[in-house]
Structures are given as structure tokens and as C-alpha cells.
Amino acid sequence: MSRDRDALADYTAAALKSSAVVLRSYSTSFGLASRLFEGSVRRQVESVYALVRVADEIVDGVTSAAGLTPEDTRRQLDDFERETERALDTGYSTNLVVHAFAHTARRTGIGTDLTRPFFASMRADLEQAEHTPESFAVYVYGSAEVVGLMCLKCFLDGHAVSATETKKLERGARHLGAAFQKVNFLRDLAEDFESLGRSYFPEVSPDYFDEAHKERLLADIEHDLSESRAVLRGLPPSSRRAVALAQELFAELAARIRVTPASELMRTRISVPNTVKLRIAAAVLTGKRGLEPSRPDSSRVEAQ
């Protein structure tokens, strides 16, 4: 029995390492922020990121690039969800990313109440090209807010937190997940429409997008960031600075979008240079940025 336990531990360690590779391969911003998590929290968050990233890649073109039909893509996503739920039940999967996620989920209490809305939103990407305000809210909850809630379960693992405080942190986690998603939608507006045929924001398209639309969307994003920033100090020290850095990196991206003309956003994908990301990370580490209680200056843009 001891050998069996050792074999499972070795397999799980390899699975967790594979999740770290997925994160580093696909995200520079969150990859940088994740380095500030303490060891066990970092591995858990990496496993969450890897699962949702693989699902996102299924619906965002990798399968079609491999020559799969839309029906095949749908089956791949359905199979991936079923394998995830089996692993949540058994604690094991032959898929390393799924196994790592299940290991984290079973420890932290992530269940199908969070995974099913997520996969429903991924499935919507295969079925719905435009959104109403109602469907957009449902989509953002499943694709982003539940991911924030999954990560929060990792942050709170091993920490005693009152029910009242947990509710506050859950609200902040949902707002932060929503902010990240909306910033990405705004940055990728033209690409999503041209490459994937999707328009996420209701009543917004490349043919109908001006400064008023941009300002309205940014105001919503800033509200989400403000709500999430308000609960940062309630997070355990093992995750606080990493979350603060992630928030500051996306706030910087939003600030760069604000000073970019709406017409240019339809031609250029805005990003934060790595040198600026490192300066922001240094500011968060030294306490000069990220945990201040005041609302951020939305006009502030770090120089390259």
C-alpha cells in the first residue's frame, strides 16, 4: 500500500508540474503574478489555470487547426468535462492537467457547482456568436467569475475565515475574474470578431464601436477592479501580493486601452511591455503599489 501511495504522489507531482508548464506557456502577466504565491497555493492555482486554459483552447481554434470538425470539437469539450467530473469523484485521471485539477479541487472543495457553469460558458463559445445583456452576464459568470471563486478556494485552503468574511472575499473574487475577462474582451475585440466570429459585448461590434462605447466598458471594468481591490487585505498573506500584482497588471492594461483611440483598438492589440510588468511587480513587492485602499488613478500609464 505504501508503494501505491508513493506512486500516486509521484504521478500527482508530475501532473502539477505539467500545469505549471501550461501557465508559463500561455500567460506572461498571470505567470508573473503567480510567482508571488507561496508554494502550495501556487501549485493549486496553476492547476486551476491549466484546466480552464485547455478548455478555452479547445473552443478557440486549436481543434479546428488540427482538422477537427465543429461536431468533433463539441465532443472533445464534452469528453473533457466528463473526464474532469470522473476525476473529481475518483481523484485520478490519465490526463495530467485534469488529474492536477482534481487533486486541487478535492483538497480545496471545488465542485461541479463551479465546473459546470464554466463548461457551459465554454460550450456557449461553440454555439453563440453574439450576446444579450442577460446572456453576457451568464457567460462572464461561468467563464471568469467561477474561476475567481475556484482560485479563492485555493487561497483560503488551511485558513479559518468567518462566513461573513468569506462572502466578502467571494464578491471580490467574482469582480476580479469579471474584470480580467472584460479587459481581455476589450483588448481582443477585433480579433475575436475577425478570427472567431464572436462579439461578446452586447450591442458592440467592430463596425459600431466608438469612444462612448469604450468609456462605458472601461467604467464597468474599473468598478470591478475597485470592488476586488477593496477586499485584497482580507486575503491570507500567502496569496495577497500575487493577487494584488495580477490586479495591477490588468489595471495597467485597462489604462493603456483608455488612452488608445477606439478606432486604433480595432487595428492594434494593446499589451503591457515586459519591462513595465517588472516595474509594477517591484512596486507591489515593496508595497508602493497594489494594496493601497484608495481607488487607482485610471489615467496612470507606466512609461515603457
Side-chain angles (χ1 to χ4, degrees):
M1 184 64 71
S2 177
R3 273 185 74 181
D4 289 344
R5 283 198 298 268
D6 289 345
L8 180 60
D10 289 344
Y11 183 80
T12 300
L16 291 168
K17 289 178 182 177
S18 74
S19 294
V21 171
V22 173
L23 190 154
R24 304 286 181 261
S25 299
Y26 279 99
S27 176
T28 55
S29 293
F30 194 67
L32 176 61
S34 71
R35 296 178 185 277
L36 300 189
F37 288 118
E38 291 187 3
S40 61
V41 180
R42 182 174 66 252
R43 289 188 290 273
Q44 291 173 350
V45 171
E46 288 169 345
S47 72
V48 171
Y49 178 92
L51 184 96
V52 302
R53 185 72 203 204
V54 170
D56 193 55
E57 290 301 311
I58 290 173
V59 302
D60 273 0
V62 173
T63 51
S64 61
L68 275 67
T69 66
E71 293 75 18
D72 291 333
T73 297
R74 173 65 181 259
R75 282 193 290 270
Q76 288 287 331
L77 183 64
D78 290 345
D79 289 346
F80 193 58
E81 181 177 16
R82 281 192 290 268
E83 181 62 21
T84 299
E85 292 202 5
R86 280 195 294 269
L88 290 176
D89 287 337
T90 66
Y92 172 76
S93 175
T94 56
N95 182 314
L96 288 173
V97 166
V98 173
H99 181 85
F101 175 80
H103 173 76
T104 290
R106 285 160 65 91
R107 175 180 173 87
T108 62
I110 297 171
T112 56
D113 59 318
L114 297 180
T115 60
R116 287 178 181 175
F118 168 74
F119 279 104
S121 285
M122 294 301 97
R123 203 164 284 111
D125 276 338
L126 302 176
E127 302 167 348
Q128 191 167 359
E130 297 181 358
H131 285 276
T132 65
E134 294 76 19
S135 70
F136 180 72
V138 172
Y139 181 88
V140 170
Y141 173 74
S143 66
E145 294 179 30
V146 299
V147 179
L149 293 172
M150 291 180 198
C151 289
L152 179 62
K153 286 184 176 291
C154 300
F155 304 158
L156 300 183
D157 182 34
H159 297 275
V161 181
S162 70
T164 299
E165 187 62 21
T166 297
K167 287 294 184 184
K168 292 179 182 178
L169 293 174
E170 287 175 346
R171 176 178 171 82
R174 289 182 61 178
H175 276 290
L176 189 56
F180 290 176
Q181 184 72 293
K182 292 169 188 175
V183 169
N184 284 333
F185 285 164
L186 189 51
R187 176 183 61 180
D188 298 334
L189 190 64
E191 182 180 349
D192 284 339
F193 186 81
E194 293 172 4
S195 301
L196 302 174
R198 300 178 195 151
S199 180
Y200 287 104
F201 292 117
E203 301 177 357
V204 171
S205 74
D207 297 326
Y208 188 60
F209 182 70
D210 57 21
E211 289 298 321
H213 287 106
K214 186 186 78 171
E215 290 302 319
R216 175 172 58 82
L217 296 175
L218 283 170
D220 184 41
I221 290 167
E222 288 182 357
H223 171 71
D224 284 326
L225 289 172
S226 178
E227 289 293 319
S228 63
R229 181 177 279 105
V231 302
L232 272 177
R233 292 188 179 277
L235 292 173
S238 55
S239 59
R240 192 181 302 150
R241 289 198 183 281
V243 177
L245 175 55
Q247 168 142 339
E248 289 302 303
L249 291 173
F250 276 85
E252 175 69 20
L253 180 55
R256 287 171 179 265
I257 290 173
R258 179 178 291 283
V259 299
T260 302
S263 58
E264 187 176 339
L265 285 176
M266 303 315 305
R267 300 187 303 269
T268 305
R269 188 177 190 270
I270 305 302
S271 63
V272 179
N274 288 335
T275 53
V276 174
K277 291 178 182 178
L278 291 174
R279 282 203 294 271
I280 294 172
V284 170
L285 280 170
T286 56
K288 296 178 180 178
R289 184 169 176 176
L291 291 172
E292 69 274 15
S294 59
R295 184 175 180 180
D297 178 4
S298 61
S299 65
R300 176 179 59 190
V301 177
E302 289 279 345
Q304 297 187 24

